[in-house]
Amino acid sequence: MTHSNDARPKVVIADSVAPDQDVERRILEPLAEVVVVPFGDADALHAELRDADAVLGCYTKFTVDMVRSMTKCRIMARSGIGVDTIPMQIATEKGIIITNVPDYCIDEVADHAMALMLSLVRRIDGLAQSVRAGTWDYRTVGKVRRLAGLRLGLVGFGNIAQAVARRAQAFKLDLLVHDPYVERKTLDDWGAQGCELDTLLSQADIVSLHVPLNQTTQHLIADRTLGLMKSDAFLINTSRGGLVDFAAV
């Protein structure tokens, strides 16, 4: 374990989106001892966390045992939107502050969700494969639909979902929204129809998931909810894999 020779706080960096930690070091090293743990080395991370005052990470999944073993930690900062990589209940019980970056990659994720919609509805991938095989017959991929007039169901209506809605409106998609935390005025401002989840799933031509992963949303899409969807509907998930029961799909 790395120990400091002075009383400076210790910051453990579990991993990073960037290829190096130059920015973090430049900001933090005048104030604290910075320890960078090799990504994926759970044993080394567990050892360094025990006397860490602060922790920074993105992809690393911190276990309950890791958080329980921390004796000094005041804050765990995640360089991303979701906080499902941290056992929140245990951290809260220990008085550890959890932070995230709520505006991280909003446009990028919204762009990707829209790209997936376009590819699925317009059968881009199937047609591209047909061309690569040396043929061109649009009938091989089934029905190619127009987007205008289709119903897009947004499960969750936070920053990313609203960015998707802005793009979807340009394609003349009708918006259905399920989000119990969003006020009716917000939906009215977007020209969206608020509804219960079951109603959204049964009416939407495209369902796009934009909710955090937690105990209430784990396998939100499973046997029962899949059974509510139209037989020709598309499901898009740019949030967390755990929202969907892949065995049921």
Side-chain angles (χ1 to χ4, degrees):
M1 183 182 297
T2 303
H3 293 281
S4 174
N5 294 323
D6 55 32
R8 294 190 306 163
K10 174 180 172 180
V11 178
V12 171
I13 300 178
D15 66 82
S16 175
V17 177
D20 56 53
Q21 287 75 47
D22 291 348
V23 173
E24 291 91 337
R25 288 186 182 280
R26 185 171 68 249
I27 294 171
L28 294 172
E29 283 185 339
L31 308 171
E33 173 194 6
V34 177
V35 176
V36 179
V37 179
F39 181 48
D41 191 336
D43 291 338
L45 176 62
H46 201 162
E48 293 292 356
L49 288 175
R50 291 192 181 101
D51 62 346
D53 295 279
V55 181
L56 176 64
C58 182
Y59 302 112
T60 297
K61 289 187 177 295
F62 298 94
T63 67
V64 170
D65 287 343
M66 286 179 181
V67 176
R68 280 181 173 157
S69 72
M70 295 192 291
T71 60
K72 298 171 60 182
C73 188
R74 301 284 300 279
I75 184 169
M76 297 181 73
R78 182 169 186 275
S79 51
I81 294 180
V83 291
D84 51 286
T85 57
I86 300 170
M88 297 287 288
Q89 181 176 346
I90 304 302
T92 301
E93 289 173 359
K94 292 178 70 68
I96 299 172
I97 297 171
I98 308 297
T99 69
N100 65 340
V101 185
D103 59 352
Y104 176 73
C105 277
I106 289 174
D107 283 327
E108 289 83 351
V109 177
D111 289 345
H112 196 69
M114 201 68 219
L116 292 173
M117 289 182 214
L118 289 167
S119 179
L120 290 168
V121 175
R122 300 301 300 170
R123 309 284 185 175
I124 300 298
D125 187 59
L127 291 169
Q129 290 184 36
S130 175
V131 172
R132 293 190 189 101
T135 63
W136 168 250
D137 186 349
Y138 68 90
R139 293 169 295 185
T140 61
V141 296
K143 184 179 181 181
V144 179
R145 306 169 72 182
R146 67 167 60 94
L147 274 80
L150 293 184
R151 286 186 165 185
L152 169 60
L154 296 168
V155 182
F157 203 56
N159 290 332
I160 293 176
Q162 290 183 23
V164 172
R166 185 177 300 110
R167 289 155 174 76
Q169 287 176 329
F171 288 93
K172 301 180 181 179
L173 285 135
D174 295 328
L175 300 178
L176 301 176
V177 171
H178 170 69
D179 191 327
Y181 303 104
V182 172
E183 296 181 355
R184 177 59 183 269
K185 182 181 183 303
T186 300
L187 298 176
D188 290 342
D189 290 344
W190 280 95
Q193 176 186 337
C195 56
E196 295 299 318
L197 178 62
D198 286 5
T199 301
L200 181 149
L201 293 173
S202 65
Q203 294 184 3
D205 301 293
I206 308 165
V207 175
S208 190
L209 305 180
H210 300 281
V211 293
L213 177 62
N214 53 43
Q215 291 182 343
T216 62
T217 61
Q218 176 80 26
H219 287 179
L220 183 70
I221 303 300
D223 282 323
R224 188 192 74 82
T225 43
L226 279 169
L228 297 173
M229 295 177 63
K230 296 180 179 181
S231 60
D232 60 349
F234 296 113
L235 174 65
I236 294 171
N237 181 15
T238 54
S239 294
R240 292 290 186 268
L243 299 175
V244 178
D245 182 348
F246 292 109
V249 173

